[in-house]
Amino acid sequence: MKISKIFLPVFMALTLVISLAQPLITTAENISEKVLRLHILANSDTTYDQNLKLGMKNYLLENTADLFCGKTLKENIEIANDSIDEIEEICKEYLASQKSNYSVSAEVTKEFFETRVYDDFTLPSGVYNSLKITIGQGSGHNWWCIIFPSVCLSACTESISDYLTEDEMELVSSGYTPKFKIIEIYEKVKNKQF
C-alpha cells in the first residue's frame, strides 16, 4: 500500500515533466537525425595512445575532406559505407607511419552520444549516425566531431545553421542549459545508458 502511495505521485510528476518537455525532446531527436559524427576510440588512455588517436584524427580529416565536402547527409552516409576499406587503409597508413602495429577498424553505425559543447554550439545527447574508428582495443578515451554538416572539415564551407531549423538552431545555440539535462536524462533512459 505504501509503495503505491509513493509511486503514483512520482509517476504523475514524471509524466507531466515528459509531456512538457516533449517538444524539446522532439527538437533534439530531429537534430540527431541530421548529423553524421566522426568517432575515434583510442587503444587505451596512455599518453602514447591518446596522441596516436589525435594524430590519426588529423591525418584522417586531411585525407577524407574531398570525400565528404559538399554532399547531403544521405550521400555522406553512403560514401562512408562505400569507402570503409579506403578509410581503414588511410588509418593503417597513419599507424604504419607512426610505427604502430595496432589494428584499426571502421564502421558506419548509430551510436549514443552524451551532450557535447563545442565553441559555437551544443549538440544534445542522443543517438547519431556515426563513422566509428576503433584503434586496437578501443578502450581509451575517444574523440569526436561532426562530418556532416562539415564542422570538423576545415576545407568544407557548410555550416550547421544551413541544415537546422530555427527551433533547432535556437536549442544548439543556447549553450548548456537545464534543457540539456532533461534531454540527457530522457535519452539515457530511452537508450538504456545507465
Side-chain angles (χ1 to χ4, degrees):
M1 185 70 120
K2 252 185 182 178
I3 292 175
S4 65
K5 285 183 180 181
I6 295 171
F7 179 74
L8 187 59
V10 169
F11 178 77
M12 290 175 61
L14 197 56
T15 302
L16 178 63
V17 168
I18 289 173
S19 66
L20 292 174
Q22 193 57 51
L24 178 66
I25 291 165
T26 300
T27 299
E29 289 179 338
N30 288 342
I31 292 167
S32 71
E33 293 172 4
K34 296 179 177 181
V35 173
L36 174 62
R37 298 177 85 158
L38 172 61
H39 186 198
I40 302 177
L41 293 109
N43 179 63
S44 75
D45 284 333
T46 66
T47 301
Y48 172 80
D49 286 351
Q50 288 297 309
N51 288 336
L52 195 65
K53 170 195 71 180
L54 294 174
M56 179 178 289
K57 175 258 306 184
N58 293 333
Y59 190 79
L60 185 63
L61 292 176
E62 289 169 12
N63 288 282
T64 58
D66 60 326
L67 284 177
F68 298 112
C69 284
K71 315 271 187 326
T72 66
L73 173 64
K74 183 180 176 187
E75 289 171 329
N76 274 305
I77 292 170
E78 288 174 6
I79 288 166
N81 271 314
D82 293 345
S83 304
I84 285 296
D85 292 340
E86 180 182 347
I87 291 166
E88 282 185 358
E89 280 306 311
I90 291 168
C91 294
K92 288 175 185 175
E93 284 172 19
Y94 175 75
L95 291 174
S97 76
Q98 301 302 302
K99 313 247 185 300
S100 169
N101 60 357
Y102 289 140
S103 62
V104 65
S105 64
E107 66 177 316
V108 177
T109 187
K110 285 190 170 272
E111 293 185 273
F112 177 82
F113 286 89
E114 298 278 346
T115 299
R116 174 72 168 134
V117 179
Y118 293 90
D119 292 336
D120 301 332
F121 61 93
T122 303
L123 279 184
S125 65
V127 176
Y128 288 81
N129 293 298
S130 172
L131 171 57
K132 181 179 179 181
I133 310 292
T134 305
I135 304 169
Q137 297 299 310
S139 58
H141 279 89
N142 57 56
W143 180 89
W144 60 86
C145 73
I146 303 169
I147 296 175
F148 182 85
S150 308
V151 173
C152 66
L153 297 169
S154 59
C156 302
T157 59
E158 294 98 5
S159 168
I160 196 162
S161 62
D162 296 337
Y163 299 96
L164 300 184
T165 67
E166 191 175 310
D167 287 343
E168 293 163 352
M169 277 307 297
E170 183 179 323
L171 177 62
V172 301
S173 301
S174 65
Y176 188 87
T177 64
K179 292 186 274 189
F180 283 94
K181 194 63 180 171
I182 293 167
I183 296 167
E184 285 172 16
I185 292 168
Y186 174 81
E187 288 293 335
K188 283 183 176 181
V189 169
K190 178 181 170 191
N191 293 290
K192 300 175 181 87
Q193 294 296 314
F194 283 103

